[in-house]
mmCIF file of all heavy atoms in Angstrom:
data_model
loop_
_atom_site.group_PDB
_atom_site.id
_atom_site.type_symbol
_atom_site.label_atom_id
_atom_site.label_comp_id
_atom_site.label_asym_id
_atom_site.label_seq_id
_atom_site.Cartn_x
_atom_site.Cartn_y
_atom_site.Cartn_z
ATOM 1 N N LEU A 209 -0.233 4.760 19.499
ATOM 2 C CA LEU A 209 -1.114 5.306 20.544
ATOM 3 C C LEU A 209 -0.347 6.021 21.654
ATOM 4 O O LEU A 209 -0.893 6.257 22.740
ATOM 5 C CB LEU A 209 -2.005 4.220 21.148
ATOM 6 C CG LEU A 209 -2.902 3.447 20.178
ATOM 7 C CD1 LEU A 209 -3.793 2.467 20.946
ATOM 8 C CD2 LEU A 209 -3.754 4.381 19.334
ATOM 9 N N GLU A 235 6.962 8.051 31.503
ATOM 10 C CA GLU A 235 6.091 6.876 31.407
ATOM 11 C C GLU A 235 4.631 7.292 31.532
ATOM 12 O O GLU A 235 3.749 6.441 31.551
ATOM 13 C CB GLU A 235 6.403 5.908 32.556
ATOM 14 C CG GLU A 235 7.834 5.434 32.634
ATOM 15 C CD GLU A 235 8.092 4.342 31.618
ATOM 16 O OE1 GLU A 235 7.385 3.340 31.647
ATOM 17 O OE2 GLU A 235 9.001 4.530 30.770
ATOM 18 N N HIS A 236 4.403 8.598 31.659
ATOM 19 C CA HIS A 236 3.056 9.060 31.978
ATOM 20 C C HIS A 236 2.323 9.614 30.765
ATOM 21 O O HIS A 236 2.907 9.831 29.710
ATOM 22 C CB HIS A 236 3.137 10.120 33.077
ATOM 23 C CG HIS A 236 3.830 9.603 34.306
ATOM 24 N ND1 HIS A 236 3.501 8.397 34.876
ATOM 25 C CD2 HIS A 236 4.842 10.104 35.047
ATOM 26 C CE1 HIS A 236 4.269 8.176 35.931
ATOM 27 N NE2 HIS A 236 5.105 9.202 36.045
ATOM 28 N N LEU A 238 -0.593 12.066 31.554
ATOM 29 C CA LEU A 238 -1.144 13.357 31.959
ATOM 30 C C LEU A 238 -0.454 13.887 33.210
ATOM 31 O O LEU A 238 -0.441 13.224 34.238
ATOM 32 C CB LEU A 238 -2.660 13.215 32.217
ATOM 33 C CG LEU A 238 -3.408 14.435 32.772
ATOM 34 C CD1 LEU A 238 -3.272 15.641 31.849
ATOM 35 C CD2 LEU A 238 -4.878 14.110 32.986
ATOM 36 N N LEU A 239 0.133 15.077 33.090
ATOM 37 C CA LEU A 239 0.710 15.771 34.237
ATOM 38 C C LEU A 239 -0.052 17.074 34.429
ATOM 39 O O LEU A 239 -0.380 17.754 33.456
ATOM 40 C CB LEU A 239 2.197 16.072 34.005
ATOM 41 C CG LEU A 239 3.118 14.882 33.700
ATOM 42 C CD1 LEU A 239 4.565 15.351 33.574
ATOM 43 C CD2 LEU A 239 3.009 13.800 34.758
ATOM 44 N N ILE A 240 -0.315 17.419 35.700
ATOM 45 C CA ILE A 240 -1.134 18.605 35.941
ATOM 46 C C ILE A 240 -0.480 19.585 36.907
ATOM 47 O O ILE A 240 0.393 19.231 37.696
ATOM 48 C CB ILE A 240 -2.533 18.230 36.495
ATOM 49 C CG1 ILE A 240 -2.427 17.619 37.903
ATOM 50 C CG2 ILE A 240 -3.259 17.285 35.568
ATOM 51 C CD1 ILE A 240 -3.769 17.408 38.579
ATOM 52 N N GLY A 243 2.989 20.337 39.501
ATOM 53 C CA GLY A 243 3.857 19.203 39.184
ATOM 54 C C GLY A 243 4.302 19.240 37.733
ATOM 55 O O GLY A 243 5.475 19.002 37.411
ATOM 56 N N ALA A 244 3.374 19.543 36.836
ATOM 57 C CA ALA A 244 3.706 19.641 35.416
ATOM 58 C C ALA A 244 4.692 20.784 35.178
ATOM 59 O O ALA A 244 5.590 20.706 34.330
ATOM 60 C CB ALA A 244 2.434 19.864 34.594
ATOM 61 N N PHE A 316 -11.421 27.511 39.950
ATOM 62 C CA PHE A 316 -11.403 26.151 40.499
ATOM 63 C C PHE A 316 -10.628 25.141 39.662
ATOM 64 O O PHE A 316 -10.880 23.945 39.736
ATOM 65 C CB PHE A 316 -12.840 25.632 40.681
ATOM 66 C CG PHE A 316 -13.702 26.517 41.538
ATOM 67 C CD1 PHE A 316 -15.033 26.740 41.205
ATOM 68 C CD2 PHE A 316 -13.187 27.147 42.672
ATOM 69 C CE1 PHE A 316 -15.839 27.554 41.999
ATOM 70 C CE2 PHE A 316 -13.990 27.964 43.460
ATOM 71 C CZ PHE A 316 -15.322 28.169 43.126
ATOM 72 N N GLY A 317 -9.662 25.605 38.857
ATOM 73 C CA GLY A 317 -8.861 24.644 38.096
ATOM 74 C C GLY A 317 -9.669 23.844 37.102
ATOM 75 O O GLY A 317 -9.408 22.667 36.883
ATOM 76 N N VAL A 319 -10.856 22.122 33.878
ATOM 77 C CA VAL A 319 -10.202 21.573 32.702
ATOM 78 C C VAL A 319 -11.276 21.052 31.750
ATOM 79 O O VAL A 319 -12.217 20.382 32.180
ATOM 80 C CB VAL A 319 -9.239 20.434 33.086
ATOM 81 C CG1 VAL A 319 -8.679 19.736 31.854
ATOM 82 C CG2 VAL A 319 -8.102 20.975 33.948
ATOM 83 N N TRP A 330 -7.423 12.591 19.751
ATOM 84 C CA TRP A 330 -7.284 11.146 19.525
ATOM 85 C C TRP A 330 -6.589 10.895 18.193
ATOM 86 O O TRP A 330 -6.789 11.653 17.235
ATOM 87 C CB TRP A 330 -8.664 10.441 19.506
ATOM 88 C CG TRP A 330 -8.564 8.955 19.317
ATOM 89 C CD1 TRP A 330 -8.702 8.251 18.150
ATOM 90 C CD2 TRP A 330 -8.269 7.984 20.324
ATOM 91 N NE1 TRP A 330 -8.521 6.911 18.379
ATOM 92 C CE2 TRP A 330 -8.266 6.713 19.707
ATOM 93 C CE3 TRP A 330 -8.015 8.066 21.704
ATOM 94 C CZ2 TRP A 330 -8.008 5.535 20.415
ATOM 95 C CZ3 TRP A 330 -7.763 6.893 22.409
ATOM 96 C CH2 TRP A 330 -7.763 5.641 21.761
ATOM 97 N N GLU A 345 -17.053 20.451 28.418
ATOM 98 C CA GLU A 345 -17.738 19.524 29.303
ATOM 99 C C GLU A 345 -18.610 18.541 28.512
ATOM 100 O O GLU A 345 -18.661 17.347 28.817
ATOM 101 C CB GLU A 345 -18.598 20.289 30.315
ATOM 102 C CG GLU A 345 -17.818 20.862 31.493
ATOM 103 C CD GLU A 345 -16.975 22.089 31.166
ATOM 104 O OE1 GLU A 345 -17.079 22.609 30.031
ATOM 105 O OE2 GLU A 345 -16.200 22.528 32.029
ATOM 106 N N LYS A 349 -18.423 14.357 28.002
ATOM 107 C CA LYS A 349 -19.553 13.450 28.192
ATOM 108 C C LYS A 349 -19.810 12.589 26.968
ATOM 109 O O LYS A 349 -20.302 11.475 27.077
ATOM 110 C CB LYS A 349 -20.841 14.253 28.453
ATOM 111 C CG LYS A 349 -20.935 14.841 29.816
ATOM 112 C CD LYS A 349 -22.250 15.593 29.981
ATOM 113 C CE LYS A 349 -22.137 16.487 31.188
ATOM 114 N NZ LYS A 349 -23.446 17.007 31.618
ATOM 115 N N HIS A 354 -12.990 9.693 20.593
ATOM 116 C CA HIS A 354 -12.963 8.229 20.598
ATOM 117 C C HIS A 354 -14.247 7.646 20.021
ATOM 118 O O HIS A 354 -14.231 6.546 19.446
ATOM 119 C CB HIS A 354 -12.734 7.713 22.027
ATOM 120 C CG HIS A 354 -12.486 6.248 22.086
ATOM 121 N ND1 HIS A 354 -13.425 5.338 22.508
ATOM 122 C CD2 HIS A 354 -11.393 5.512 21.743
ATOM 123 C CE1 HIS A 354 -12.927 4.119 22.447
ATOM 124 N NE2 HIS A 354 -11.696 4.189 21.983
ATOM 125 N N ASP A 355 -15.357 8.359 20.137
ATOM 126 C CA ASP A 355 -16.615 7.873 19.569
ATOM 127 C C ASP A 355 -16.509 7.795 18.047
ATOM 128 O O ASP A 355 -16.979 6.824 17.431
ATOM 129 C CB ASP A 355 -17.769 8.796 19.984
ATOM 130 C CG ASP A 355 -19.132 8.147 19.773
ATOM 131 O OD1 ASP A 355 -19.210 6.897 19.769
ATOM 132 O OD2 ASP A 355 -20.128 8.874 19.613
ATOM 133 N N CYS A 358 -14.530 4.781 17.148
ATOM 134 C CA CYS A 358 -15.309 3.540 17.293
ATOM 135 C C CYS A 358 -16.355 3.388 16.196
ATOM 136 O O CYS A 358 -16.604 2.278 15.721
ATOM 137 C CB CYS A 358 -15.977 3.491 18.661
ATOM 138 S SG CYS A 358 -14.809 3.234 20.018
ATOM 139 N N LEU A 359 -16.979 4.487 15.805
ATOM 140 C CA LEU A 359 -17.967 4.418 14.725
ATOM 141 C C LEU A 359 -17.313 3.959 13.420
ATOM 142 O O LEU A 359 -17.920 3.238 12.625
ATOM 143 C CB LEU A 359 -18.638 5.785 14.527
ATOM 144 C CG LEU A 359 -19.672 6.166 15.589
ATOM 145 C CD1 LEU A 359 -20.000 7.657 15.532
ATOM 146 C CD2 LEU A 359 -20.950 5.334 15.414
ATOM 147 N N TYR A 362 -15.905 0.022 14.437
ATOM 148 C CA TYR A 362 -16.886 -1.022 14.756
ATOM 149 C C TYR A 362 -18.116 -1.007 13.864
ATOM 150 O O TYR A 362 -18.807 -2.005 13.748
ATOM 151 C CB TYR A 362 -17.331 -0.894 16.221
ATOM 152 C CG TYR A 362 -16.199 -1.003 17.219
ATOM 153 C CD1 TYR A 362 -16.223 -0.298 18.416
ATOM 154 C CD2 TYR A 362 -15.093 -1.822 16.973
ATOM 155 C CE1 TYR A 362 -15.201 -0.399 19.342
ATOM 156 C CE2 TYR A 362 -14.059 -1.925 17.882
ATOM 157 C CZ TYR A 362 -14.108 -1.205 19.073
ATOM 158 O OH TYR A 362 -13.092 -1.302 19.975
ATOM 159 N N LYS A 363 -18.440 0.159 13.282
ATOM 160 C CA LYS A 363 -19.623 0.226 12.427
ATOM 161 C C LYS A 363 -19.280 0.438 10.958
ATOM 162 O O LYS A 363 -20.164 0.453 10.119
ATOM 163 C CB LYS A 363 -20.563 1.359 12.887
ATOM 164 C CG LYS A 363 -21.259 1.064 14.203
ATOM 165 C CD LYS A 363 -22.507 1.898 14.387
ATOM 166 C CE LYS A 363 -23.720 1.224 13.768
ATOM 167 N NZ LYS A 363 -24.981 1.916 14.159
ATOM 168 N N LYS A 378 -25.283 13.900 17.363
ATOM 169 C CA LYS A 378 -25.161 13.512 18.774
ATOM 170 C C LYS A 378 -24.834 14.710 19.677
ATOM 171 O O LYS A 378 -25.435 14.872 20.741
ATOM 172 C CB LYS A 378 -24.105 12.406 18.927
ATOM 173 C CG LYS A 378 -24.521 11.112 18.236
ATOM 174 C CD LYS A 378 -23.423 10.046 18.261
ATOM 175 C CE LYS A 378 -23.517 9.163 19.492
ATOM 176 N NZ LYS A 378 -22.717 7.917 19.353
ATOM 177 N N LEU B 147 -25.745 10.977 31.477
ATOM 178 C CA LEU B 147 -24.307 11.168 31.217
ATOM 179 C C LEU B 147 -23.694 12.287 32.056
ATOM 180 O O LEU B 147 -22.600 12.774 31.756
ATOM 181 C CB LEU B 147 -24.026 11.430 29.731
ATOM 182 C CG LEU B 147 -24.501 10.357 28.741
ATOM 183 C CD1 LEU B 147 -24.053 10.723 27.326
ATOM 184 C CD2 LEU B 147 -23.970 8.978 29.106
ATOM 185 N N GLU B 173 -21.059 23.641 36.434
ATOM 186 C CA GLU B 173 -21.256 23.387 35.012
ATOM 187 C C GLU B 173 -20.103 22.574 34.451
ATOM 188 O O GLU B 173 -20.045 22.313 33.261
ATOM 189 C CB GLU B 173 -21.290 24.715 34.240
ATOM 190 C CG GLU B 173 -22.360 25.681 34.694
ATOM 191 C CD GLU B 173 -23.718 25.295 34.134
ATOM 192 O OE1 GLU B 173 -23.824 25.212 32.899
ATOM 193 O OE2 GLU B 173 -24.648 25.056 34.940
ATOM 194 N N HIS B 174 -19.168 22.206 35.324
ATOM 195 C CA HIS B 174 -17.935 21.600 34.847
ATOM 196 C C HIS B 174 -17.905 20.090 35.047
ATOM 197 O O HIS B 174 -18.752 19.524 35.723
ATOM 198 C CB HIS B 174 -16.741 22.241 35.544
ATOM 199 C CG HIS B 174 -16.703 23.732 35.364
ATOM 200 N ND1 HIS B 174 -16.867 24.315 34.122
ATOM 201 C CD2 HIS B 174 -16.576 24.745 36.236
ATOM 202 C CE1 HIS B 174 -16.818 25.633 34.247
ATOM 203 N NE2 HIS B 174 -16.651 25.923 35.524
ATOM 204 N N LEU B 176 -14.372 18.477 35.149
ATOM 205 C CA LEU B 176 -13.097 18.169 35.791
ATOM 206 C C LEU B 176 -12.471 19.413 36.416
ATOM 207 O O LEU B 176 -12.240 20.403 35.736
ATOM 208 C CB LEU B 176 -12.129 17.572 34.748
ATOM 209 C CG LEU B 176 -10.696 17.289 35.182
ATOM 210 C CD1 LEU B 176 -10.636 16.321 36.365
ATOM 211 C CD2 LEU B 176 -9.885 16.726 34.018
ATOM 212 N N LEU B 177 -12.231 19.345 37.709
ATOM 213 C CA LEU B 177 -11.508 20.399 38.425
ATOM 214 C C LEU B 177 -10.224 19.794 38.980
ATOM 215 O O LEU B 177 -10.231 18.675 39.481
ATOM 216 C CB LEU B 177 -12.353 20.956 39.575
ATOM 217 C CG LEU B 177 -13.735 21.517 39.226
ATOM 218 C CD1 LEU B 177 -14.396 22.101 40.476
ATOM 219 C CD2 LEU B 177 -13.647 22.577 38.139
ATOM 220 N N ILE B 178 -9.123 20.566 38.907
ATOM 221 C CA ILE B 178 -7.844 19.996 39.329
ATOM 222 C C ILE B 178 -7.121 20.882 40.340
ATOM 223 O O ILE B 178 -7.348 22.092 40.424
ATOM 224 C CB ILE B 178 -6.901 19.753 38.119
ATOM 225 C CG1 ILE B 178 -6.480 21.077 37.474
ATOM 226 C CG2 ILE B 178 -7.543 18.831 37.104
ATOM 227 C CD1 ILE B 178 -5.397 20.923 36.411
ATOM 228 N N GLY B 181 -7.213 24.661 42.553
ATOM 229 C CA GLY B 181 -8.535 25.170 42.211
ATOM 230 C C GLY B 181 -9.637 24.263 42.737
ATOM 231 O O GLY B 181 -10.646 24.735 43.282
ATOM 232 N N ALA B 182 -9.444 22.962 42.569
ATOM 233 C CA ALA B 182 -10.428 21.996 43.066
ATOM 234 C C ALA B 182 -10.510 22.072 44.592
ATOM 235 O O ALA B 182 -11.582 21.918 45.183
ATOM 236 C CB ALA B 182 -10.037 20.585 42.630
ATOM 237 N N PHE B 254 5.506 15.229 39.671
ATOM 238 C CA PHE B 254 5.063 16.006 38.517
ATOM 239 C C PHE B 254 3.556 16.038 38.315
ATOM 240 O O PHE B 254 3.086 16.242 37.206
ATOM 241 C CB PHE B 254 5.728 15.474 37.238
ATOM 242 C CG PHE B 254 7.231 15.437 37.294
ATOM 243 C CD1 PHE B 254 7.943 14.391 36.719
ATOM 244 C CD2 PHE B 254 7.957 16.441 37.942
ATOM 245 C CE1 PHE B 254 9.330 14.359 36.761
ATOM 246 C CE2 PHE B 254 9.343 16.413 37.996
ATOM 247 C CZ PHE B 254 10.032 15.370 37.404
ATOM 248 N N GLY B 255 2.776 15.798 39.380
ATOM 249 C CA GLY B 255 1.331 15.885 39.217
ATOM 250 C C GLY B 255 0.773 14.862 38.262
ATOM 251 O O GLY B 255 -0.167 15.139 37.517
ATOM 252 N N ARG B 256 1.332 13.653 38.308
ATOM 253 C CA ARG B 256 0.860 12.587 37.423
ATOM 254 C C ARG B 256 -0.589 12.220 37.734
ATOM 255 O O ARG B 256 -0.983 12.073 38.884
ATOM 256 C CB ARG B 256 1.763 11.357 37.597
ATOM 257 C CG ARG B 256 1.315 10.133 36.793
ATOM 258 C CD ARG B 256 0.480 9.178 37.617
ATOM 259 N NE ARG B 256 0.129 7.983 36.841
ATOM 260 C CZ ARG B 256 -0.703 7.036 37.287
ATOM 261 N NH1 ARG B 256 -1.242 7.125 38.472
ATOM 262 N NH2 ARG B 256 -0.999 6.000 36.524
ATOM 263 N N VAL B 257 -1.390 12.073 36.696
ATOM 264 C CA VAL B 257 -2.776 11.641 36.840
ATOM 265 C C VAL B 257 -2.997 10.432 35.936
ATOM 266 O O VAL B 257 -2.556 10.417 34.788
ATOM 267 C CB VAL B 257 -3.746 12.784 36.451
ATOM 268 C CG1 VAL B 257 -5.184 12.283 36.431
ATOM 269 C CG2 VAL B 257 -3.603 13.948 37.418
ATOM 270 N N TRP B 268 -17.017 5.205 33.416
ATOM 271 C CA TRP B 268 -18.027 5.475 32.388
ATOM 272 C C TRP B 268 -19.365 4.872 32.799
ATOM 273 O O TRP B 268 -19.386 3.802 33.430
ATOM 274 C CB TRP B 268 -17.621 4.877 31.030
ATOM 275 C CG TRP B 268 -18.631 5.162 29.950
ATOM 276 C CD1 TRP B 268 -19.634 4.351 29.506
ATOM 277 C CD2 TRP B 268 -18.737 6.371 29.183
ATOM 278 N NE1 TRP B 268 -20.363 4.984 28.518
ATOM 279 C CE2 TRP B 268 -19.827 6.221 28.306
ATOM 280 C CE3 TRP B 268 -18.013 7.568 29.158
ATOM 281 C CZ2 TRP B 268 -20.222 7.216 27.411
ATOM 282 C CZ3 TRP B 268 -18.399 8.568 28.271
ATOM 283 C CH2 TRP B 268 -19.487 8.383 27.398
ATOM 284 N N GLU B 283 -1.902 4.730 32.612
ATOM 285 C CA GLU B 283 -1.479 5.297 31.326
ATOM 286 C C GLU B 283 -1.979 4.434 30.168
ATOM 287 O O GLU B 283 -2.425 4.945 29.137
ATOM 288 C CB GLU B 283 0.048 5.412 31.277
ATOM 289 C CG GLU B 283 0.603 6.640 32.002
ATOM 290 C CD GLU B 283 0.576 6.542 33.523
ATOM 291 O OE1 GLU B 283 0.270 5.453 34.060
ATOM 292 O OE2 GLU B 283 0.858 7.559 34.186
ATOM 293 N N LYS B 287 -4.713 5.182 27.057
ATOM 294 C CA LYS B 287 -4.431 4.933 25.628
ATOM 295 C C LYS B 287 -5.482 4.047 24.988
ATOM 296 O O LYS B 287 -5.758 4.149 23.798
ATOM 297 C CB LYS B 287 -3.081 4.224 25.474
ATOM 298 C CG LYS B 287 -1.906 5.114 25.651
ATOM 299 C CD LYS B 287 -0.630 4.317 25.455
ATOM 300 C CE LYS B 287 0.536 5.111 25.995
ATOM 301 N NZ LYS B 287 1.834 4.551 25.593
ATOM 302 N N HIS B 292 -14.856 3.508 27.721
ATOM 303 C CA HIS B 292 -15.667 3.901 26.568
ATOM 304 C C HIS B 292 -15.586 2.884 25.439
ATOM 305 O O HIS B 292 -16.531 2.718 24.661
ATOM 306 C CB HIS B 292 -15.245 5.286 26.060
ATOM 307 C CG HIS B 292 -16.170 5.855 25.040
ATOM 308 N ND1 HIS B 292 -15.864 5.896 23.700
ATOM 309 C CD2 HIS B 292 -17.420 6.365 25.154
ATOM 310 C CE1 HIS B 292 -16.872 6.429 23.040
ATOM 311 N NE2 HIS B 292 -17.825 6.728 23.891
ATOM 312 N N ASP B 293 -14.468 2.179 25.336
ATOM 313 C CA ASP B 293 -14.335 1.158 24.294
ATOM 314 C C ASP B 293 -15.340 0.030 24.534
ATOM 315 O O ASP B 293 -15.956 -0.472 23.581
ATOM 316 C CB ASP B 293 -12.902 0.606 24.277
ATOM 317 C CG ASP B 293 -12.583 -0.127 22.985
ATOM 318 O OD1 ASP B 293 -13.244 0.137 21.963
ATOM 319 O OD2 ASP B 293 -11.666 -0.976 22.989
ATOM 320 N N CYS B 296 -18.698 1.181 23.454
ATOM 321 C CA CYS B 296 -18.844 1.186 21.992
ATOM 322 C C CYS B 296 -18.962 -0.232 21.424
ATOM 323 O O CYS B 296 -19.719 -0.463 20.471
ATOM 324 C CB CYS B 296 -17.663 1.910 21.344
ATOM 325 S SG CYS B 296 -17.693 3.690 21.617
ATOM 326 N N LEU B 297 -18.217 -1.176 22.003
ATOM 327 C CA LEU B 297 -18.311 -2.563 21.526
ATOM 328 C C LEU B 297 -19.715 -3.110 21.754
ATOM 329 O O LEU B 297 -20.231 -3.896 20.954
ATOM 330 C CB LEU B 297 -17.275 -3.439 22.239
ATOM 331 C CG LEU B 297 -15.830 -3.260 21.751
ATOM 332 C CD1 LEU B 297 -14.839 -3.868 22.738
ATOM 333 C CD2 LEU B 297 -15.649 -3.877 20.362
ATOM 334 N N TYR B 300 -22.133 -0.523 19.299
ATOM 335 C CA TYR B 300 -21.948 -0.545 17.851
ATOM 336 C C TYR B 300 -21.739 -1.935 17.261
ATOM 337 O O TYR B 300 -21.949 -2.151 16.077
ATOM 338 C CB TYR B 300 -20.752 0.331 17.454
ATOM 339 C CG TYR B 300 -20.899 1.783 17.869
ATOM 340 C CD1 TYR B 300 -19.785 2.539 18.223
ATOM 341 C CD2 TYR B 300 -22.144 2.396 17.918
ATOM 342 C CE1 TYR B 300 -19.906 3.870 18.606
ATOM 343 C CE2 TYR B 300 -22.285 3.713 18.305
ATOM 344 C CZ TYR B 300 -21.168 4.443 18.644
ATOM 345 O OH TYR B 300 -21.302 5.749 19.022
ATOM 346 N N LYS B 301 -21.239 -2.885 18.092
ATOM 347 C CA LYS B 301 -21.006 -4.239 17.581
ATOM 348 C C LYS B 301 -21.968 -5.259 18.177
ATOM 349 O O LYS B 301 -21.939 -6.426 17.819
ATOM 350 C CB LYS B 301 -19.560 -4.673 17.854
ATOM 351 C CG LYS B 301 -18.540 -3.945 16.993
ATOM 352 C CD LYS B 301 -17.230 -4.700 16.905
ATOM 353 C CE LYS B 301 -17.223 -5.689 15.752
ATOM 354 N NZ LYS B 301 -15.875 -6.258 15.513
ATOM 355 N N LYS B 316 -7.188 -6.901 24.303
ATOM 356 C CA LYS B 316 -6.645 -5.613 23.853
ATOM 357 C C LYS B 316 -5.655 -5.020 24.856
ATOM 358 O O LYS B 316 -4.580 -4.544 24.459
ATOM 359 C CB LYS B 316 -7.797 -4.632 23.579
ATOM 360 C CG LYS B 316 -8.679 -5.086 22.415
ATOM 361 C CD LYS B 316 -9.908 -4.198 22.212
ATOM 362 C CE LYS B 316 -9.591 -3.053 21.265
ATOM 363 N NZ LYS B 316 -10.847 -2.386 20.774
#
Side-chain angles (χ1 to χ4, degrees):
Chain A
L209 303 184
E235 303 281 304
H236 303 312
L238 175 58
L239 303 183
I240 67 172
F316 304 140
V319 173
W330 182 263
E345 280 74 7
K349 285 181 196 194
H354 189 256
D355 196 25
C358 289
L359 285 165
Y362 301 147
K363 289 201 87 170
K378 295 174 90 164
Chain B
L147 302 184
E173 302 281 303
H174 304 312
L176 175 58
L177 303 183
I178 66 172
F254 305 142
R256 176 264 183 186
V257 173
W268 181 263
E283 279 74 8
K287 284 181 195 192
H292 190 255
D293 197 23
C296 289
L297 284 165
Y300 301 147
K301 289 200 89 170
K316 295 174 90 165

